[in-house]
Amino acid sequence: MKQWLEEKLLQLNVTEYMDEEYGFTRLSYTEEEKQAHEAFKKAAEELSLDVVQDEAGNVWARWKAAQEDAPTIAIGSHLDTVSGGGGYDGAAGVLTGLAAVKQLKDKGFQPTKNIDVVCFASEESARFGVSTIGSKATAGMMDKGELGSVEDADGVTVKEAVESYGLSWESIDQAEKSPDEIERFLELHIEQGTQIEDNGAEIGIVRGVACPVRLQVTVKGMANHTGTTPMNNRSDAFVAAAPIITYVEEQARKRNGVQPTPIVATTSTVKLSPNVMNVIPGEVQLGIDIRSVDDELKRNLAEEIRSYCKTIEASKDVKVDLHTLVDNDSVHLDSSIQEQLQEITEKIGYRVHPMDSGAGHDVMNMATRWPSGLIFIPCRDGISHHPKEYASIEDLNKGTNVLAAYIESIASDHQ
Amino acid sequence: MKQWLEEKLLQLNVTEYMDEEYGFTRLSYTEEEKQAHEAFKKAAEELSLDVVQDEAGNVWARWKAAQEDAPTIAIGSHLDTVSGGGGYDGAAGVLTGLAAVKQLKDKGFQPTKNIDVVCFASEESARFGVSTIGSKATAGMMDKGELGSVEDADGVTVKEAVESYGLSWESIDQAEKSPDEIERFLELHIEQGTQIEDNGAEIGIVRGVACPVRLQVTVKGMANHTGTTPMNNRSDAFVAAAPIITYVEEQARKRNGVQPTPIVATTSTVKLSPNVMNVIPGEVQLGIDIRSVDDELKRNLAEEIRSYCKTIEASKDVKVDLHTLVDNDSVHLDSSIQEQLQEITEKIGYRVHPMDSGAGHDVMNMATRWPSGLIFIPCRDGISHHPKEYASIEDLNKGTNVLAAYIESIASDHQ
């Protein structure tokens, strides 16, 4: 199985070597994503699965149950990446889904339910700033009107990208599946953190997915000549904004000390205007990303940041506006699936760490319509969205064993 | 004269109204700069001046002395602007140069020296990051090898821009003038600050031009997922860089309290990588601009910033590199010209403020080869490089009077 995992990992990444210096770039609805999907189709067909691409570009590979009207268990993730990302984020879930099927087929297992391995389209927000487009379509969560006109950095809209991918924008929302078409959904993903190892475990079983609160802070001062404007006569937006960056980090750090649920907050983007050497910054825009499974905790921090911005406005000669870009409730995954997964994983002999996910995944959307579970495997140093992203074949194999055992437990006659 | 100033100000700005919402954009060696130069030629020809464009695109308009081999006094500035700049930075000097000639002609004055009004090409660094290209060519300071391949934001090189402007790159350095071709040079410019008014004066006579020390600080941390990387396991380059912004401002401010020569320092640019919402900043590049006529003072502050960066590196889990981009000696202008200008200005009845210039001007280059002077007139609230930049016709008229009186004093038979 390990050799098969190694081979298919390369195939799904359309590469001969996993340690590509610049990583992998397979942005949403591009030729590169399509090539990875073609590799997935090929690998699925080698396992004699029935492959169909739906209206959103998601590819479904079915291992049919003997019985015609059997329920369906779906397992999957995605194959698109960020720009210069790794070959495991998404790929690990698709690969281990196929591998679990292979393992069960190899041992002569006959499922009493259809097993669908799905490769969702366009999970990463790197191209359009919008994530999980494929699984949103499946779960009936797509806002077509708003989405169609969203542009990438080159001004190409989602609609245009979808159509040049060979799909019809007109019918993209027909990818939606009704509640009775799927019984439950499972995703396996690399952790993108180090909690599993830090807690001496091998597999993470996820309780909830922390959806972000995202803030946009705009500080308006006055642009002026750097050489001719005395220090005591300035309204420098960047100087006013700098303590906000420090505050966000300090406050998030402090809160982790005093209560049990983790919270993270990051000033991750900046736009300076005019951003030229001889002009005092007249305007700064900061993007702040706050995450915790505890929605009250993250909203409380957002409020504290808002108050702090008011303090800055009152003490410096600037105007500060705070705008909430995103504020979604966190997703709590099905507790009985968590229990089953934990039991099965421990039965195999792997140490389990129950945890939350700080990153969003396709399972967030699937969980709004179907009971769902999320399994994490470790990745080296927690690095992801980076060429150095890495998960061992050993860990991919462990993930495969968990998925296979879980399928066996719920899709067999002895159930 | 005031009506003439108003009309010509509009003509030189190729506009019908000075209060354009988005200001004026006449970048280096563009069609827009050329149109302004054409307007200058037209205005100069209306005054019966002999107009020639040199190999660098500078336009020289000569009021010939009666005597064939008379020396030449040059007066001028530029007509290019930053992006969304004002209609006075540069234009004020070109306009008042022409106006001084008109005033003297109107009263029947016959100069004993040639009076050249010059409109230099490409003074602003907004397009190429390189300033005063035209006057560098005149003063023989152009480094053609290095300059030619400098690119604008669209990848157009200076060489390509110069050639599409209709000039020959091959011969651009032939614009150089030998020391004996000019006797002295005068520039009038808006102050781009408020020291003239703050000191209850009407005209500023400049002693020196503060050339900047420019630093590039690169902070390298580790990019990672904002949602999955705990607060205690981060190497956030932006968090590490934020105190540097505060430090630069505080230190510059502090120094102005304890010694007489002004100093200014600004963190004016930032480049964040990857600058996306769900990734912790892995690298930050800050651009810092430090200016003072006291070269030791500015270099001392640069050293303090370097030390502070070492402190940051030692206390946070990041690497900090500091690179000096620019470090030029400040330019001290001819003291006898300063004295003459001050005497003449006070004789007219205007209150004079002797001061330094925090901004660079064409006169910096001219002063390396010819005795030179720089006259400032006030501009409203010190605002420049901005659509709100404004200087009154009243003040432009005062500047004209100073220039005319100065020319009269040094280019007449009674001298």
Side-chain angles (χ1 to χ4, degrees), chain B residues 12 40 58-61 72-80 88-101 115-121 123 132 135 182 184-190 361-364 366 372-376 403 407:
Chain B
L12 293 178
F40 171 72
N58 304 316
V59 181
W60 299 81
T72 298
I73 301 164
I75 312 172
S77 193
H78 62 96
L79 284 174
D80 64 313
Y88 301 86
D89 176 344
V94 172
L95 174 67
T96 54
L98 290 176
V101 166
I115 311 299
D116 279 1
V117 183
V118 56
C119 175
F120 288 115
E123 194 266 353
T132 63
S135 55
I182 295 176
R184 67 188 76 195
F185 174 73
L186 280 190
E187 182 165 5
L188 178 144
H189 206 279
I190 57 169
H361 297 294
D362 289 309
V363 73
M364 293 185 311
M366 298 298 283
S372 297
L374 177 58
I375 300 159
F376 277 166
L403 284 175
I407 294 167

Side-chain angles (χ1 to χ4, degrees), chain B residues 175-367:
Chain B
E176 181 176 352
K177 290 198 185 292
S178 63
D180 62 0
E181 285 182 84
I182 295 176
E183 181 197 277
R184 67 188 76 195
F185 174 73
L186 280 190
E187 182 165 5
L188 178 144
H189 206 279
I190 57 169
E191 182 199 331
Q192 305 177 275
T194 59
Q195 291 183 54
I196 300 174
E197 303 94 297
D198 292 351
N199 287 278
E202 293 160 288
I203 294 285
I205 304 295
V206 180
R207 298 172 300 214
V209 179
C211 293
V213 169
R214 285 178 174 167
L215 308 175
Q216 185 178 67
V217 177
T218 307
V219 181
K220 282 186 184 156
M222 179 74 198
N224 217 328
H225 197 295
T226 56
T228 60
T229 316
M231 296 310 294
N232 61 5
N233 197 21
R234 296 178 164 214
S235 168
D236 184 326
F238 205 21
V239 167
I244 300 173
I245 304 161
T246 307
Y247 182 85
V248 167
E249 198 262 352
E250 277 177 3
Q251 290 296 312
R253 190 184 282 269
K254 209 176 78 179
R255 277 165 171 72
N256 281 288
V258 296
Q259 51 78 48
T261 314
I263 182 165
V264 288
T266 315
T267 305
S268 43
T269 68
V270 67
K271 194 177 157 193
L272 206 63
S273 171
N275 206 27
V276 298
M277 207 34 139
N278 63 346
V279 184
I280 296 166
E283 186 172 322
V284 179
Q285 224 172 59
L286 300 177
I288 300 170
D289 180 280
I290 309 170
R291 305 196 194 199
S292 174
V293 173
D294 183 338
D295 291 328
E296 204 185 315
L297 188 64
K298 78 187 181 195
R299 281 169 193 151
N300 172 279
L301 176 54
E303 273 316 299
E304 292 287 321
I305 293 169
R306 186 184 297 276
S307 303
Y308 186 72
C309 287
K310 291 282 159 212
T311 318
I312 294 284
E313 191 173 59
S315 65
K316 311 237 177 193
D317 183 22
V318 292
K319 180 133 180 46
V320 186
D321 284 316
L322 190 143
H323 176 58
T324 302
L325 297 174
V326 172
D327 182 1
N328 291 325
D329 285 339
S330 295
V331 173
H332 297 274
L333 297 172
D334 187 86
S335 58
S336 70
I337 292 183
Q338 282 168 56
E339 282 162 27
Q340 291 162 7
L341 282 170
Q342 175 148 358
E343 195 180 315
I344 280 163
T345 306
E346 287 172 343
K347 205 165 143 192
I348 302 175
Y350 303 146
R351 292 178 301 276
V352 168
H353 177 58
M355 61 185 295
D356 298 323
S357 172
H361 297 294
D362 289 309
V363 73
M364 293 185 311
N365 303 322
M366 298 298 283

